[in-house]
Amino acid sequence: MNVNKIEIETLPDGLRASVLECEVTGRRAVLARAGRPVAVVASWDEYVALRETIEIAASGEIVKALAAADAELARGEVRSLEQLGGPPGDRIVIAASAGRSWEALDEGQRREAIGRLEHVAAEPIAGAPLLEPLRGLWSLRAGGLRVVYRVTPEARAIGIVYLGTAEVLD
């Protein structure tokens, strides 16, 4: 992805204040030319959530995988993080199909995935909350890996519904 990064400190005061407001409150700022909107300033978290939602929803393959994994979670067809080589614990359950995709990951990606899953177990809102039509799911990227998961507060569990590769966000 080709991104032009601009340091906030170099912006004029008014724009710098708008960026801070977007970051702190989640509000957006619309930049206009002659009254016509040309760009939007939003928080990085909102941008990531929107981008993840669009990318995942646009992939028929991932959408099918999510539906299959949700059905597996409901039937209890899961693997533990320990079964995939991670530490013991019962907070993370991995849908059988997501566990099978584990085999496609190389050793470095598996280590990264274990680290990310441990992070999610400790802090379930570490990822980006997805928007409609994927509301209720979260996505977390680590390097070239995407983990999509569902937090089930009543069961105090985190169900991993997708593990796969993704491009690195700038």
Side-chain angles (χ1 to χ4, degrees):
M1 181 172 82
N2 189 10
V3 174
N4 184 18
K5 291 185 181 179
I6 301 168
E7 288 298 320
I8 294 172
E9 294 77 26
T10 66
L11 297 173
D13 290 343
L15 185 53
R16 191 169 48 241
S18 291
V19 169
L20 178 62
E21 183 176 353
C22 291
E23 182 180 18
V24 172
T25 68
R27 296 175 82 184
R28 292 171 216 97
V30 176
L31 304 179
R33 179 180 296 117
R36 182 175 118 358
V38 295
V40 174
V41 178
S43 73
W44 179 256
D45 291 341
E46 184 175 12
Y47 166 74
V48 170
L50 180 60
R51 180 164 174 186
E52 284 295 282
T53 300
I54 291 168
E55 285 186 17
I56 292 168
S59 169
E61 179 184 321
I62 296 177
V63 170
K64 277 190 212 176
L66 295 176
D70 268 339
E72 292 166 354
L73 287 176
R75 292 188 303 265
E77 297 171 12
V78 298
R79 295 170 77 181
S80 70
L81 185 54
E82 185 176 14
Q83 289 172 314
L84 299 180
D90 59 357
R91 183 116 194 232
I92 297 279
V93 293
I94 301 154
S97 56
R100 285 189 298 274
S101 67
W102 182 263
E103 307 307 323
L105 302 177
D106 65 35
E107 193 57 40
Q109 289 172 318
R110 288 179 188 174
R111 278 193 306 275
E112 184 66 39
I114 287 172
R116 293 290 90 197
L117 295 175
E118 289 177 318
H119 184 69
V120 166
E123 186 59 50
I125 61 170
L130 300 181
L131 309 171
E132 291 299 338
L134 302 171
R135 191 171 300 281
L137 293 172
W138 294 71
S139 180
L140 179 67
R141 288 192 190 198
L145 182 71
R146 174 185 281 136
V147 177
V148 180
Y149 60 98
R150 180 178 304 285
V151 179
T152 55
E154 63 280 353
R156 293 196 28 83
I158 298 157
I160 306 303
V161 293
Y162 179 82
L163 288 168
T165 57
E167 72 177 56
V168 176
L169 282 176
D170 289 333

